[in-house]
Amino acid sequence: GAVTENAMLAAHSGFARGFQSYKENKGVGRWASAGEAEATFADGIAWLKEHQDEVFFLFLHTYEVHSPYKPPADVALPPLPQTASAAAKKLRDYQGETRHTDRTLEELFTVLRDLDLDEETLVIITSDHGEAFGEHGHIGHSWKVYDEFLHVPLIFWAPGLLPAGE
């Protein structure tokens, strides 16, 4: 199963091939990337509950954390002074969206534990690119090959399958 958001992973582009279930949570425009993490993960969790007794592969794709950065008020960090740079202000909102995404992932991990799947499921978290916040004169991401764009998380979570730290 797969649950994604529109833009780069559209079903009509061939990304649905191989999935028995492929759902897109669409934003306003074809290339919108505002992020719909709550809806995407809620749909993924519903799919997971329907298939918990099967061997499964579930692909969840969100545009959180992605520009435009608009974290929910309860996880947003206090605004910076007006004199702060545009890059610093964007970084602050990026950090708020990161907190929001962490909370959304926590819900997934809780469901995996509640369904007794946490010790037999491998969760992989990664990103397609990084972001710059003033480094090399950039804000956002581009086609350059600076570390800010290339170094992304690659996290394997499998408490019953992989030893900690490996």
Side-chain angles (χ1 to χ4, degrees):
V3 184
T4 184
E5 296 163 16
N6 65 319
M8 301 296 183
L9 300 185
H12 66 78
S13 297
F15 283 97
R17 185 177 47 225
F19 289 99
Q20 295 170 341
S21 171
Y22 195 87
K23 180 171 186 202
E24 295 177 14
N25 288 320
K26 295 183 179 272
V28 177
R30 181 176 182 187
W31 301 109
S33 59
E36 301 289 336
E38 296 95 343
T40 298
F41 276 71
D43 290 340
I45 287 169
W47 184 94
L48 182 64
K49 288 178 178 179
E50 291 175 19
H51 299 275
Q52 66 181 307
D53 295 325
E54 305 169 22
V55 174
F56 63 86
F57 175 84
L58 175 61
F59 176 73
L60 298 176
H61 168 257
T62 182
Y63 281 98
E64 308 274 354
V65 173
H66 198 284
S67 179
Y69 310 119
K70 295 182 181 173
D74 64 326
V75 292
L77 297 168
L80 293 173
Q82 290 290 11
T83 55
S85 70
K89 290 176 185 175
K90 286 221 183 246
L91 176 59
R92 179 62 62 103
D93 288 339
Y94 176 89
Q95 291 167 331
E97 276 209 5
T98 300
R99 294 170 77 179
H100 171 60
T101 303
D102 285 348
R103 180 175 60 194
T104 305
L105 283 167
E106 182 180 15
E107 292 171 20
L108 174 66
F109 295 138
T110 298
V111 169
L112 288 170
R113 280 191 284 280
D114 290 348
L115 297 175
D116 291 324
L117 295 172
D118 55 320
E119 293 193 12
E120 58 187 43
T121 302
L122 170 63
V123 177
I124 302 172
I125 303 167
T126 193
S127 178
D128 59 339
H129 58 76
E131 299 284 300
F133 296 97
E135 300 88 352
H136 307 286
H138 291 280
I139 296 177
H141 56 277
S142 74
W143 297 105
K144 306 288 183 183
V145 290
Y146 295 121
D147 286 348
E148 295 79 28
F149 309 128
L150 299 176
H151 286 193
V152 298
L154 179 59
I155 300 167
F156 291 79
W157 182 84
L161 302 172
L162 294 175
E166 291 189 23

